[in-house]
Amino acid sequence: MILLWSTVLYYVPKWTVFAQAFLLLIIPLLLLPMFKMIRKSINSSFSLKPDKYSPPRTESPLKNIRLTGKYDTDLTAIRKVIGGQADVRFREITIRGTRVRAVLLFVEGLTDIDLVVTQLLKPLMLHGIPEEHRTAFLHSSSAMKDYLTEQVMTVSEVQAVTEMERFVESVLFGKTGLVVEGMQGAFLIGAAKGKSRSIEDPISEALLRGPRVGFTERLGDNTGLLRLHGQNESLVMTKFEVGNRVKKDLVLAYMRDIADSKLVEEVASRIQRIEIDDPMESGYIEQLIEDNVLSPFQQVQNTERPDRVIAGLLEGRVAILLDGTPFVPLSIE
């Protein structure tokens, strides 16, 4: 019996072993709340709230200012705001057949000059307003606006605005502005047409077999490529605007009948809460909407290939396309 107990006690670990085992158990339990607090503080620093040290945003002096229809007053106000910009062009004209003055505003390098000349200057200066329509044209501001939209300007994208801030901002972003004497408000015509590289095979994802097509830096080209590769009526593209000081367009793409509606709503909600001065690249968007910035595991997949994005959308994932970058983040879930 004594020999039995001595044998048992011989194989029983020393008290130091039990102490080590206890410490191995208790230390992670003690460190877990600490790591949770650290992660929470770091996530809050990378949260969707503005940085407390960033300079306060001042309200635009053009806010709540309207385009009155008084040509000299409106033109003076516009020149005061953007007249000193070296790349902004003012082209004052008189509409043929009338004494109505007008001015075209556009940014050199962002505006389609051919569109300005052929679709705006020529119809207004060479054709003008026929005699049988002049009385109706000069009758009221709304009649003038309707006639110019329906009979004179042969462009597909025409938008009437009355807010001075929106008008000036859109002109600086590449649209052509038209202010007409006697017409309350103004027109925003066309879209920005900046220089962009051609569609080519992305270097970062070269393939031996497959389509030699990659995204570019233009959002319109990228959404078009996505439509071309995903010819399905269930493909949904929802547009957002991100950036406080430098505003950029962002498109959330998903398959309506495949993607989880809760996932789409959550991603859209996080995008709408983003507070950043300039989203220069889609990587900024990733960091601001991901779950855990400290996670060593990949939370978002990046790609430059439209076919890979469509494959992900068919798996129920969502894609984010940002203007100015060819890299498209895809959700993992």
Side-chain angles (χ1 to χ4, degrees):
M1 190 68 177
I2 296 175
L3 180 62
L4 176 63
W5 279 107
S6 62
T7 304
V8 171
L9 292 174
Y10 177 79
Y11 286 102
V12 172
K14 297 181 179 180
W15 67 271
T16 56
V17 176
F18 286 105
Q20 291 175 3
F22 177 76
L23 291 176
L24 288 175
L25 176 65
I26 198 66
I27 288 176
L29 295 177
L30 293 175
L31 291 178
L32 184 61
M34 185 183 302
F35 279 117
K36 286 184 177 180
M37 292 178 60
I38 295 174
R39 188 178 68 176
K40 185 177 180 180
S41 63
I42 293 177
N43 284 340
S44 63
S45 65
F46 283 92
S47 66
L48 307 179
K49 299 178 182 178
D51 187 359
K52 62 181 180 180
Y53 296 109
S54 61
R57 298 196 303 271
T58 57
E59 191 174 88
S60 171
L62 300 178
K63 197 171 184 64
N64 301 324
I65 297 179
R66 301 278 177 173
L67 291 161
T68 62
K70 299 177 181 178
Y71 181 79
D72 294 322
T73 302
D74 292 340
L75 184 57
T76 301
I78 294 172
R79 284 188 182 277
K80 185 177 180 180
V81 178
I82 59 174
Q85 302 285 354
D87 55 345
V88 178
R89 299 288 179 263
F90 288 77
R91 180 65 169 92
E92 295 189 61
I93 62 173
T94 300
I95 300 177
R96 186 179 181 127
T98 68
R99 294 183 178 179
V100 175
R101 294 174 295 170
V103 60
L104 284 165
L105 297 88
F106 55 90
V107 174
E108 185 178 8
L110 287 181
T111 305
D112 188 349
I113 300 299
D114 292 336
L115 179 144
V116 173
V117 174
T118 59
Q119 309 298 329
L120 298 174
L121 289 178
K122 283 185 177 180
L124 292 172
M125 297 179 68
L126 298 182
H127 306 296
I129 311 300
E131 187 175 355
E132 61 270 21
H133 296 290
R134 290 173 191 170
T135 303
F137 178 79
L138 300 171
H139 178 68
S140 65
S141 173
S142 59
M144 185 180 296
K145 186 180 300 183
D146 293 339
Y147 188 84
L148 289 173
T149 305
E150 299 170 5
Q151 303 292 331
V152 178
M153 294 185 294
T154 57
V155 290
S156 59
E157 189 174 346
V158 179
Q159 187 178 12
V161 295
T162 57
E163 302 87 359
M164 177 72 76
E165 181 182 16
R166 185 179 177 187
F167 176 77
V168 170
E169 187 179 79
S170 299
V171 170
L172 292 176
F173 289 171
K175 289 183 179 291
T176 301
L178 175 62
V179 179
V180 181
E181 183 180 13
M183 186 189 76
Q184 188 173 6
F187 289 116
L188 293 173
I189 304 158
K193 187 183 179 182
K195 299 293 183 182
S196 64
R197 62 184 175 92
S198 59
I199 297 173
E200 54 192 18
D201 189 20
I203 299 175
S204 63
E205 294 178 275
L207 296 178
L208 294 177
R209 296 184 62 178
R212 306 290 183 179
V213 177
F215 289 122
T216 69
E217 286 74 20
R218 287 181 63 89
L219 182 61
D221 293 342
N222 296 341
T223 54
L225 287 173
L226 210 57
R227 285 285 182 197
L228 182 64
H229 283 76
Q231 298 181 14
N232 191 303
E233 64 277 3
S234 296
L235 177 58
V236 178
M237 297 189 190
T238 306
K239 194 172 185 179
F240 299 89
E241 190 179 74
V242 293
N244 295 329
R245 297 183 183 273
V246 179
K247 300 184 185 298
K248 290 185 179 179
D249 290 331
L250 181 149
V251 168
L252 177 66
Y254 60 94
M255 291 291 183
R256 181 187 296 110
D257 53 350
I258 300 178
D260 186 356
S261 59
K262 293 183 179 179
L263 173 62
V264 175
E265 291 174 2
E266 178 63 25
V267 175
S269 175
R270 296 188 185 190
I271 291 173
Q272 290 174 328
R273 298 200 308 272
I274 287 177
E275 291 286 345
I276 187 171
D277 284 341
D278 179 13
M280 291 182 286
E281 214 275 330
S282 57
Y284 287 76
I285 306 299
E286 293 176 25
Q287 295 181 35
L288 290 170
I289 67 173
E290 65 184 1
D291 291 326
N292 186 3
V293 297
L294 293 179
S295 174
F297 303 103
Q298 186 180 20
Q299 300 178 66
V300 178
Q301 178 188 356
N302 278 287
T303 180
E304 291 186 76
R305 308 192 67 90
D307 54 332
R308 189 163 291 176
V309 173
I310 291 298
L313 298 185
L314 292 174
E315 296 172 357
R317 298 153 75 181
V318 298
I320 297 174
L321 294 86
L322 179 68
D323 191 23
T325 175
F327 291 95
V328 175
L330 269 168
S331 64
I332 297 297
E333 298 180 356

